[in-house]
Amino acid sequence: MAKSLEIVAAALGAPGGGILAADESTGTIKKRFDSVHAKSTEETRRNYREMLFQTEVAMRENISGVILYDETIRQKAKDGTPLVELIKAAGTIPGIKVDQGAKPMAGHPGELVTEGLTGLRDRLADYYELGARFAKWRAVINIASHIPTPACIRANMHALARYAALCQEANIVPIVEPEVLMDGDHDIERCYEVTEATLRSLFAELYEQRVNLEGTVLKPSMVISGSKCTNRAGVEEVAEKTVHCFRRAVPAAIPSIVFLSGGQSDLDATAHLNAINSLGNLPWQMSFSYGRALQAAPLKAWSGKTENEPKAQAALAHRAAMNGLATQGAWKPELEKATP
Ligand code: 5MM
């Protein structure tokens, strides 16, 4: 096992920083742009992402890695510098989303299975040449009355493990992302049960596929009530149940756990991460790999207009700094008053 994988896996979750998930596929980024009445073209997507990656203070201080989409890893900034080089110059590690999306699972109504293993070995070699040092694959687990089924969990976790083994062969750190969706009216206990089953299955598959855990990063959802649950758990309970569940199901050999935000509000995502780290005495570094919870504020501030770029960069810098504090249990709600 190359030592470099372990170094990158530890660096991605080092205290004070976390990952900027900017890997929205073309359809998803269009939805995000539509929400602020911005047009989605190859050029506007480049301009928006270049602006994010040029947010120097955030990139230097609080962003350890950036997850890119295939289009972005090949793009150049307005002055001709490859975006990957901009990211590296800020001391941040470039990464790439390599899954090809969650598709309906045959014979399993309401459930999804992520595709993308075919040709992955060649795509990884190409991405390594383009500068990617870590990759990401997202599996989606839905909760409803009769789902998830064991078959759906197993198929998704098996694919994650096959992907992870191929990444390590290519000297790329795999981020394994088993997202248990927040959608639905289920309570936090049900989320706990599904998250534990999913994580246990994931680590069994990783073991079987001979994936080195020290060179792997876990990107999970938190143990949290469904978004339509009428009796939603508070911040402390989310933190306690998440850590309790992970202590049972996630080996201590994993160096970094970087949470996704999954539709939580910006402030909830920060408060939960902070409460998790405030519990202390954890075997893993607990950080963030947020998409919406980092980008919602800058996206709104930008709204497709060049003249709004400084405001948008200030908004990203603020959220990145708040989450950087949360990785150390040092965030306080009063600090949000400085919100640009
Ligand atoms: C940025 O969004 C990623 C998914 O994009 P597609 O659905 O277009 O493939 C997603 O995997 C993201 O990286 C994670 O879910 C984290 O983002 P959130 O918004 O949940 O923090």
Side-chain angles (χ1 to χ4, degrees):
M1 172 57 45
K3 194 82 193 142
S4 59
L5 289 181
E6 299 181 12
I7 293 170
V8 170
L12 287 170
I19 298 173
L20 168 64
D23 59 310
E24 299 86 355
S25 51
T26 313
T28 303
I29 195 77
K30 182 176 181 319
K31 274 191 231 149
R32 306 272 187 266
F33 278 21
D34 284 350
S35 73
V36 297
H37 310 291
K39 211 167 165 215
S40 180
T41 65
E42 194 175 338
E43 193 185 353
T44 59
R45 293 192 290 272
R46 190 279 310 270
N47 292 347
Y48 170 69
R49 285 166 168 153
E50 178 180 348
M51 172 194 77
L52 297 179
F53 308 156
Q54 297 266 27
T55 307
E56 275 174 42
V57 57
M59 293 290 281
R60 215 179 37 241
E61 310 280 337
N62 308 112
I63 306 288
S64 55
V66 179
I67 315 175
L68 302 168
Y69 183 57
D70 182 76
E71 174 184 272
T72 324
I73 201 170
R74 301 171 194 281
Q75 277 177 324
K76 294 192 165 89
K78 291 185 212 78
D79 70 359
T81 313
L83 292 181
V84 168
E85 294 306 321
L86 278 187
I87 292 168
K88 285 181 6 195
T92 302
I93 308 170
I96 180 77
K97 182 233 291 296
V98 300
D99 68 67
Q100 294 178 325
K103 309 283 162 58
M105 183 165 160
H108 292 76
E111 298 193 287
L112 302 169
V113 64
T114 302
E115 296 184 351
L117 288 173
T118 307
L120 183 57
R121 177 178 270 131
D122 294 342
R123 289 195 290 126
L124 286 167
D126 187 29
Y127 287 138
Y128 188 92
E129 284 307 307
L130 288 165
R133 292 296 174 269
F134 71 95
K136 192 205 82 173
W137 176 295
R138 172 171 170 256
V140 178
I141 304 296
N142 240 314
I143 300 183
S145 58
H146 294 95
I147 58 173
T149 59
C152 172
I153 293 180
R154 203 177 323 121
N156 274 292
M157 299 310 116
H158 179 74
L160 268 171
R162 297 266 314 277
Y163 138 83
L166 282 164
C167 283
Q168 292 190 335
E169 180 190 85
N171 219 7
I172 288 179
V173 168
I175 295 190
V176 290
E177 180 180 2
E179 176 171 7
V180 176
L181 289 185
M182 242 171 90
D183 303 352
D185 59 4
H186 54 274
D187 60 15
I188 191 168
E189 301 296 344
R190 175 87 171 117
C191 179
Y192 184 112
E193 181 186 292
V194 172
T195 304
E196 183 179 357
T198 301
L199 291 173
R200 284 187 186 275
S201 171
L202 172 64
F203 285 99
E205 294 285 349
L206 290 172
Y207 177 69
E208 208 160 61
Q209 295 300 322
R210 303 183 175 170
V211 174
N212 177 284
L213 298 186
E214 287 81 354
T216 300
V217 172
L218 174 67
K219 175 165 173 168
S221 37
M222 295 175 190
V223 175
I224 194 166
S225 319
S227 50
K228 294 199 186 108
C229 175
T230 46
N231 184 22
R232 308 203 68 222
V235 173
E236 299 311 320
E237 192 178 354
V238 169
E240 279 159 20
K241 290 222 158 65
T242 299
V243 170
H244 193 271
C245 177
F246 285 25
R247 280 193 187 284
R248 299 179 82 174
V250 181
I254 287 286
S256 304
I257 296 180
V258 294
F259 289 100
L260 58 91
S261 57
Q264 297 181 41
S265 72
D266 299 2
L267 288 194
D268 281 355
T270 304
H272 287 143
L273 180 63
N274 188 66
I276 285 168
N277 280 302
S278 300
L279 292 174
N281 204 18
L282 304 168
W284 333 267
Q285 305 182 122
M286 299 285 241
S287 180
F288 59 92
S289 174
Y290 291 162
R292 285 162 288 180
L294 275 176
Q295 291 189 55
L299 178 70
K300 192 161 171 239
W302 174 65
S303 290
K305 300 197 173 94
T306 315
E307 63 270 28
N308 291 337
E309 287 186 358
K311 264 199 311 189
Q313 290 183 318
L316 174 63
H318 178 71
R319 284 265 48 86
M322 294 298 102
N323 286 305
L325 289 171
T327 65
Q328 301 162 91
W331 172 83
K332 293 186 179 52
E334 305 86 85
L335 297 169
E336 296 291 345
K337 291 197 181 112
T339 305

